[in-house]
Amino acid sequence: MEKRGISIIGMILRLAVLMGLTFAAANARASEVEPWKERRNAIIVDAYELNSIDWEAMLKDKRIAGFIAKASDGLPESYTCTGDHGGDTVAHCRTMWRKYAVSRELYQTRRMLARSHGLLWGAYHLARPGNPVDQANHFIDFADPRDDELMVLDIEGIDPEKYMSLEDAAIFAGHVKARTGRYPILYTNHATAKHIAANRFKHRLLSRLPLWYARYKPDIRKVFPMGNWDRYALWQFSSAHNCGKKRCPYRVPGTLDDIDVNVAAMSASALKSVWPHGALLPEKPPVLTVIASATVGTIPALNANATATLSRPLVISRAEAESGSGAGADATVTGSIAVRAAEARLPYQSERR
């Protein structure tokens, strides 16, 4: 009787574990397919200085839990407007400075409104080519981030002629950490996130920043996390790219179709507990591909691939060997085994894009 009782308890425990795994898998799928339709999930609005917002109307949407505003853009504007402006005129320099002053006042006003109504607050820096330390200082001085506010580094692409290079982005993030004690999270699109994930051995710091993922599709299965991030911190799912008068994934009252809308796959209270972020994600172990090939005489070559995830770094090496039974003999065998870092492919990487 005692053995039978133990057996029944064991079956119940196994069933509970199985149900737990099934529930976890369902939750993972739910976070990857239109999670904004789940009413418990928090909505976050982000805006730049030209977005029109009727705050009284917007605040009626009780699902909105946070607001992220554009703070700084590239290098700071010139204050004195003297000397060389890279071909710019003094008059235009003064116009840009006034615009800068107005945009900072708008930023401070929006922060006061958001925080006074209980919204989480965050700020992002639009990264451009130019000194990354100066840009980090510009961002911190502009945003004046508080300990409970989110900081974001916005990388729009990997062309260093148009955007901050990924190497400079790591310097930017490191300087923000040095000044504030916290790292920013990374905002970027699918192509850039995919590139960083595929080259995480090179971009070790960027690949460990929590990811604010911009992708205007209803489903990101088989695309995210591309073998690097386990989940997104935020998903920007709606913007002028996929929101119009006839169809829009999510309409925020008091705003136009060009407003950016994001979702967190958690409740507002859960989001509040992790909101400021600031720490790096755990480092992923390297993924290596072992490739073996052999050719025997005129027989077609034989190839085999295997991928393994290692718990610790491995010294990368290559070995080749050749043996023969005589010059020109059909039985000559050439073989090689190569072990290389998987620069080209990581688990979960999309095969279609």
Side-chain angles (χ1 to χ4, degrees), residues 223-295:
V223 175
F224 186 92
M226 301 164 293
N228 187 72
W229 290 279
D230 292 331
R231 62 186 61 85
Y232 53 82
L234 298 173
W235 174 2
Q236 186 179 94
F237 65 90
S238 181
S239 74
H241 294 285
N242 63 340
C243 181
K245 292 183 179 179
K246 294 184 178 180
R247 183 177 300 175
C248 188
Y250 193 98
R251 295 195 186 276
V252 176
T255 69
L256 303 179
D257 297 338
D258 63 345
I259 196 74
D260 293 338
V261 192
N262 312 269
V263 65
M266 62 184 73
S267 66
S269 59
L271 179 63
K272 184 177 181 179
S273 67
V274 300
W275 177 254
H277 290 283
L280 295 177
L281 299 172
E283 187 169 15
K284 294 280 187 175
V287 178
L288 304 182
T289 300
V290 180
I291 301 175
S293 63
T295 303

Side-chain angles (χ1 to χ4, degrees), residues 175-198:
H175 191 69
V176 170
K177 172 65 163 61
R179 280 198 58 182
T180 68
R182 294 186 293 133
Y183 286 103
I185 71 169
L186 175 66
Y187 167 92
T188 198
N189 54 37
H190 171 72
T192 306
K194 179 179 178 181
H195 177 82
I196 293 172

Side-chain angles (χ1 to χ4, degrees), residues 67-71 107 121-125 139 143 150-153:
F67 193 101
I68 305 173
K70 178 183 174 183
Y107 172 87
W121 180 261
Y124 71 88
H125 174 79
F139 168 64
L150 183 70
M151 299 182 293
V152 185
L153 171 60

Side-chain angles (χ1 to χ4, degrees), residues 3-21:
K3 290 184 178 179
R4 182 180 178 185
I6 294 174
S7 177
I8 292 174
I9 292 173
M11 290 177 61
I12 293 173
L13 289 174
R14 286 194 295 272
L15 181 60
V17 171
L18 180 61
M19 290 178 65
L21 292 174

Side-chain angles (χ1 to χ4, degrees), residues 100-136:
Y100 166 82
V102 170
S103 67
R104 190 157 192 269
E105 183 177 342
L106 175 64
Y107 172 87
Q108 292 170 330
T109 302
R110 285 177 168 177
R111 174 159 69 174
M112 178 182 65
L113 283 168
R115 291 183 64 97
S116 66
H117 286 88
L119 298 184
L120 300 169
W121 180 261
Y124 71 88
H125 174 79
L126 185 55
R128 307 279 191 183
N131 189 303
V133 173
D134 288 346
Q135 292 193 55

